[in-house]
């Protein structure tokens, strides 16, 4: 019964967790912008979300989220590499970071909306 | 909670960048130092960065930064012919430090930009976490 109440939020909840993961990846890239030899990493978000929300993902619960997102990880190809073979492109990382921030907030708002809808539905008609 | 480790990652980067700024400050301060009685002038220092797995180390994506060492620049210092100088050698030359001020200024700007970038990352992560804490409240 509880499942049916929260099923609608599952998708946005997964999206939110994955956005947090990507935010962390981008933070690592920005932190290592001056580290020699560091290879910049990014997540194929669509692929990761599909893997996380597919029916098969639910059955294999002992696999952590991070293990599941591992497959969607890719090193981003840089337009130019520096002489210390660091592939962090700061402009692109900052753009991705801003983009991910906005999309994280969007997921959060969708989730808040579903929660509010559910709470409103639970309210007694006399209370309002 | 995965977002909390952003503070470890960016925090390590901020600390590493401030060590780099420290090295730049020492170099700039000693840009005009001449060789002392031992004949060795000040040598420019550079910090060496290395990526390190933050915190528990189980997660391969939590990559912070650490300073693994300080390297001294071994190029010979600038030699100026000035026989009247009290530290001049037998040939009348004074050895100055090998600090290149232009290089150090560039290094300083780069370090301060990276420092600001990481601070901003932490600020964004903080505001996102605060908004997440208020989930369902309004």
């Amino acid at each position: 019964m509880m499942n049916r109440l929260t099923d609608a939020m599952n998708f946005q909840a997964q999206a939110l967790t994955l956005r947090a993961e990507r935010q962390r990846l981008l933070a690592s890239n920005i932190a290592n912008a001056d580290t020699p030899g560091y290879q910049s990493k990014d997540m194929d978000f669509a692929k990761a979300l599909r893997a996380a929300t597919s029916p098969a993902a639910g059955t294999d619960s002992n696999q952590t989220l991070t293990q599941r997102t591992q497959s969607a990880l890719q090193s981003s190809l840089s337009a130019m590499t520096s002489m210390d073979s660091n592939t962090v492109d700061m402009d692109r990382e900052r753009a991705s970071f801003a983009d991910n921030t906005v999309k994280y907030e969007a997921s959060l708002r969708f989730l808040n909306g579903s929660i509010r809808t559910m709470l409103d539905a639970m309210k007694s008609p006399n209370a309002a | 909670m995965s977002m909390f480790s952003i503070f470890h990652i960016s925090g390590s980067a901020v600390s590493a960048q401030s060590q780099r700024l420290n090295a730049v400050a020492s170099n700039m301060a000693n840009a005009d130092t001449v060789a002392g009685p031992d004949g060795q002038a000040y040598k420019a220092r550079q910090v060496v960065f290395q990526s390190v797995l933050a915190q528990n180390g189980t997660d391969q994506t939590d990559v912070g930064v650490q300073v693994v060492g300080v390297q001294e620049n071994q190029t010979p210092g600038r030699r100026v012919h000035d026989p009247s100088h009290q530290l001049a050698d037998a040939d009348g030359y004074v050895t100055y430090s090998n600090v290149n001020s232009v290089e150090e200024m560039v290094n300083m700007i780069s370090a301060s930009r990276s420092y600001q970038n990481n601070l901003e990352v932490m600020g964004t992560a903080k505001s996102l976490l605060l908004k997440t804490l208020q989930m369902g409240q309004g």
Side-chain angles (χ1 to χ4, degrees), chain B residues 2 24 49 79 105 114:
Chain B
S2 57
V24 171
F49 286 170
R79 278 161 66 78
M105 287 302 282
S114 300

Side-chain angles (χ1 to χ4, degrees), chain B residues 76-95:
Chain B
R78 185 162 50 97
R79 278 161 66 78
V80 175
H81 186 68
D82 184 4
S84 63
H85 199 288
Q86 59 170 344
L87 290 172
D89 61 12
D91 302 327
Y93 279 96
V94 184
T95 313

Side-chain angles (χ1 to χ4, degrees), chain B residues 47-110:
Chain B
V47 293
V48 182
F49 286 170
Q50 192 183 57
S51 36
V52 61
L53 289 180
Q55 279 287 294
N56 44 26
T58 53
D59 202 336
Q60 294 296 308
T61 54
D62 284 14
V63 195
V65 196
Q66 69 177 5
V67 173
V68 283
V70 179
Q71 252 180 4
E72 280 192 344
N73 188 346
Q74 293 301 337
T75 53
R78 185 162 50 97
R79 278 161 66 78
V80 175
H81 186 68
D82 184 4
S84 63
H85 199 288
Q86 59 170 344
L87 290 172
D89 61 12
D91 302 327
Y93 279 96
V94 184
T95 313
Y96 284 79
S97 73
N98 62 356
V99 176
N100 182 340
S101 339
V102 178
E103 240 169 57
E104 296 303 330
M105 287 302 282
V106 171
N107 214 349
M108 181 190 80
I109 294 169
S110 166

Side-chain angles (χ1 to χ4, degrees), chain A residues 24 31-32 34 94 104-105 112, chain B residues 5 59 61 114 117 120 136:
Chain A
R24 211 183 51 187
N32 283 287
D34 296 320
R94 288 293 300 264
Y104 183 93
E105 280 200 44
N112 268 330
Chain B
S5 57
D59 202 336
T61 54
S114 300
N117 272 332
E120 215 174 296

